[in-house]
Amino acid sequence: MTGVSLPLPDGRVLLVDGGADELTLLLDGQPLLRAERQDEVWWLQGRDMPLALWAFSYQAFAIDPACQRLLLRLDDCPAELVQQGLLSPEMGGLWQVQRSMFWQLPMPWRSGAASESYPQRFVLSDGRRHPQRSPKPAGELYRRFDFRLGSWISLRTLDIEVDLERFN
């Protein structure tokens, strides 16, 4: 796996250098994380641990389609990653990242504002009271590099002026 390069949606590049049991992650050429595996458990050392954990998970799941979960031993578990759903506790003081949960996380793949934080405000329409919807998004909504395909996958909103002929 030495020298594998993974582009990120924001234009940065994640470089994976190492093998099956020891690797280093570089973000735009700067060291981000060093990881060693003993048995099935990864020991991680790095700066900006939330970003490093996300990048470590991304490279593992993108490069190895058979990898279903990562077991991690962390000295300091970032609480925000547990709240976001990236990390979940495992027996013996370990943490895990599950492939099925990782690919469902909105960040950093989804661009634009999240509608779930839109404040609730009730309005009347046709005599019915209902919550007002958040503004419709525009442009690109999701972007991810698929390592196996070797290309970007992106989703954007429909633009009637541009897409009508293609849509029909």
Side-chain angles (χ1 to χ4, degrees):
M1 140 171 29
T2 298
V4 173
S5 178
L6 292 168
L8 301 177
D10 62 6
R12 296 181 295 175
V13 176
L14 183 65
L15 181 66
V16 182
D17 192 23
D21 293 325
E22 187 175 317
L23 60 88
T24 301
L25 296 181
L26 303 169
L27 185 60
D28 281 344
Q30 298 300 312
L32 178 64
L33 175 85
R34 182 166 161 63
E36 289 184 39
R37 182 165 56 177
Q38 297 174 354
D39 297 319
E40 293 300 312
V41 179
W42 285 96
W43 294 72
L44 308 179
Q45 297 175 324
R47 61 176 179 87
D48 191 359
M49 211 43 146
L51 175 61
L53 281 167
W54 176 87
F56 178 74
S57 302
Y58 175 49
Q59 66 80 30
F61 296 137
I63 293 170
D64 183 4
C67 180
Q68 295 302 309
R69 77 177 187 153
L70 300 168
L71 283 176
L72 310 171
R73 181 164 306 279
L74 302 171
D75 293 331
D76 185 27
C77 176
E80 68 263 27
L81 297 181
V82 175
Q83 292 171 343
Q84 293 169 4
L86 178 65
L87 288 173
S88 56
E90 182 67 21
M91 291 177 53
L94 300 176
W95 295 89
Q96 71 171 330
V97 180
Q98 295 180 9
R99 177 188 201 91
S100 60
M101 291 179 67
F102 176 78
W103 290 122
Q104 292 180 57
L105 295 173
M107 299 302 171
W109 323 115
R110 185 178 67 194
S111 53
S115 62
E116 59 265 8
S117 63
Y118 191 74
Q120 190 173 53
R121 177 176 173 241
F122 285 92
V123 294
L124 287 173
S125 295
D126 297 325
R128 297 176 196 248
R129 183 176 180 262
H130 61 87
Q132 182 177 13
R133 292 184 184 195
S134 60
K136 289 184 180 180
E140 187 175 75
L141 303 174
Y142 178 92
R143 182 173 187 78
R144 174 169 77 84
F145 185 79
D146 188 305
F147 182 75
R148 290 178 288 164
L149 294 176
S151 64
W152 288 97
I153 296 171
S154 68
L155 302 173
R156 64 176 174 80
T157 57
L158 181 73
D159 180 341
I160 199 71
E161 302 296 325
V162 174
D163 298 320
L164 183 60
E165 186 176 321
R166 182 178 302 139
F167 189 71
N168 285 323

